[in-house]
Amino acid sequence: MDSYSISKRNADPILKLGMDRGISAKLQTMQDRQKDILRQQQSVAKDLHQKLGEHILSQSSNQRALEKHMVSSKLSFSGLNSRHSHPNMEHHRQVAQTVQGLEQGTSEIGAVQLESEKYQKRLHTNQQENLEAQAGSLSAWFARYGEPKRQPSQFDLHRSYVLKPRWNPTMQAFSNATAVRQGHITK
């Protein structure tokens, strides 16, 4: 929001109540931070999925090789060497680091969520304070927020207008009943 919009909102008595002193901006930055962490976790999870797919493929081929070796070892005159390859410890270390990074991102999201809840509670208490200070009648509302700029007139068909008292010919006086012409907004 630019400085002109902020000054206009601060000048208006109703919109000034909505200016929550930067709490909503902090909430927005926390939501953006949470989105960034989730995007990072998504990319890390995609890499982990690819690495685990490769690892599962190598493990399944190792399992098949060991099963073939076990069957062939029961036969007479079988060889002692197998096609089994030992698991890569570097791959295991990379997977463990990736999982640890995912857990760290989850804890960061939890911390951001707690801080966001704290700001939301503060925003809620500010709104409750504003609700307590609201006006209970139209005169109190006008005293608090000011008279509206657009006043009802006889020629404005959009606003309701209180008509002047009508002449009662039988009593030879004006009637005490007031007639209201409803505007198009309230119809």
Side-chain angles (χ1 to χ4, degrees):
M1 203 175 349
D2 60 344
S3 61
Y4 176 75
S5 299
I6 292 172
S7 64
K8 281 296 204 179
R9 287 180 183 221
N10 284 330
D12 189 76
I14 296 173
L15 293 178
K16 183 169 50 173
L17 294 174
M19 300 295 283
D20 49 11
R21 297 171 196 91
I23 293 176
S24 62
K26 290 179 183 177
L27 282 173
Q28 184 65 40
T29 57
M30 287 185 194
Q31 287 176 352
D32 292 342
R33 185 173 162 204
Q34 193 173 10
K35 285 180 188 176
D36 291 339
I37 294 170
L38 286 172
R39 285 189 184 115
Q40 289 172 357
Q41 273 191 333
Q42 184 182 15
S43 66
V44 168
K46 190 180 283 185
D47 292 340
L48 180 65
H49 179 72
Q50 182 181 3
K51 287 178 185 177
L52 286 178
E54 294 168 1
H55 183 68
I56 289 172
L57 184 65
S58 68
Q59 285 298 101
S60 62
S61 66
N62 274 342
Q63 182 183 2
R64 277 186 262 128
L66 282 174
E67 287 172 354
K68 285 181 181 178
H69 180 70
M70 286 172 49
V71 169
S72 67
S73 68
K74 292 178 183 175
L75 300 173
S76 57
F77 306 111
S78 64
L80 295 177
N81 57 352
S82 70
R83 292 185 183 145
H84 171 260
S85 62
H86 294 287
N88 187 357
M89 296 309 285
E90 178 68 23
H91 188 266
H92 177 69
R93 188 185 60 78
Q94 288 176 352
V95 169
Q97 282 181 347
T98 306
V99 170
Q100 188 178 21
L102 283 173
E103 290 173 352
Q104 182 182 6
T106 304
S107 64
E108 285 181 29
I109 287 175
V112 168
Q113 187 68 27
L114 286 174
E115 195 172 349
S116 175
E117 287 174 3
K118 181 180 73 171
Y119 281 116
Q120 286 177 353
K121 284 181 182 177
R122 190 184 308 170
L123 182 64
H124 183 68
T125 55
N126 287 349
Q127 288 174 348
Q128 290 296 327
E129 290 171 1
N130 288 341
L131 287 176
E132 291 172 3
Q134 284 183 346
S137 66
L138 277 176
S139 59
W141 195 89
F142 289 142
R144 181 177 174 131
Y145 301 113
E147 291 285 331
K149 293 178 182 175
R150 186 175 174 186
Q151 295 294 326
S153 68
Q154 184 177 4
F155 304 110
D156 188 4
L157 298 177
H158 295 286
R159 301 254 342 228
S160 295
Y161 179 70
V162 178
L163 299 170
K164 59 184 180 179
R166 296 186 181 194
W167 177 258
N168 190 346
T170 58
M171 295 177 51
Q172 297 293 319
F174 286 103
S175 167
N176 288 334
T178 56
V180 177
R181 183 197 69 217
Q182 281 191 331
H184 292 294
I185 294 175
T186 57
K187 283 186 179 178

